[in-house]
Amino acid sequence: MTATPATVIQIAESIVAEINAGDFSKTNLSAQRLYVPNFDLEDMKELRVTVVPREVEYLPLDRASNKYHATIDVAVQKKFSKGDAKEIDPLVFFVEELADYFRLKRLNSFVAARCIKVENSVLYSSEHWTQFNQFTSLLSLTFELAK
């Protein structure tokens, strides 16, 4: 008997599948789910999209069920050479595309979950910018379902 993965994992895997199958400005995407993204700088020459389950909140819905909120972070990262607008603007646009795509969306492979909040609290990490010449943007998606 195979155990069903935790709900937060099912949501994260569904996000990975939708990003990889999506029609976005950045092509040849290979998003992956990780717990701790840890890449060498050499690996950052290619665009990296990492999906990380971050937080789960259980709120009472009624006597028998809970309202379940799962927050999943989506990191978009790429090493740059100059860091000028020509290089960075398409990355910022891609993050916005992801935000627009998931806003109020029900996941195709997990339709019980609906995205209720999209937040781009780190448009770009100034620390990664100055230390590594790397664009890092963090998009946080919160999905809700009754459970």
Side-chain angles (χ1 to χ4, degrees), residues 23-138:
D23 185 22
F24 300 108
S25 61
K26 296 293 181 188
T27 56
N28 298 323
L29 286 178
S30 183
Q32 59 182 325
R33 178 180 66 85
L34 297 172
Y35 286 105
V36 180
N38 187 12
F39 303 111
D40 292 329
L41 278 177
E42 280 299 310
D43 297 335
M44 302 313 290
K45 290 180 180 176
E46 300 297 321
L47 178 66
R48 292 252 178 212
V49 179
T50 310
V51 176
V52 180
R54 179 171 48 109
E55 182 177 274
V56 177
E57 182 179 24
Y58 300 90
L59 303 166
L61 184 61
D62 57 35
R63 290 180 183 211
S65 59
N66 290 309
K67 189 184 298 183
Y68 181 93
H69 287 174
T71 301
I72 312 291
D73 288 338
V74 178
V76 174
Q77 299 175 290
K78 187 173 190 314
K79 187 166 175 52
F80 57 78
S81 54
K82 294 180 183 174
D84 58 9
K86 182 180 177 185
E87 218 176 353
I88 303 303
D89 287 356
L91 296 170
V92 173
F93 178 73
F94 173 61
V95 173
E96 185 176 290
E97 277 183 300
L98 290 174
D100 289 343
Y101 177 82
F102 284 105
R103 190 179 67 78
L104 297 177
K105 178 162 182 56
R106 288 199 180 273
L107 295 166
N108 295 329
S109 61
F110 199 76
V111 294
R114 182 174 65 93
C115 187
I116 59 165
K117 183 178 177 185
V118 177
E119 186 178 10
N120 189 198
S121 58
V122 179
L123 183 60
Y124 64 92
S125 166
S126 57
E127 182 180 311
H128 285 192
W129 189 285
T130 56
Q131 288 183 6
F132 308 124
N133 284 356
Q134 177 180 298
F135 173 84
T136 298
S137 187
L138 187 65

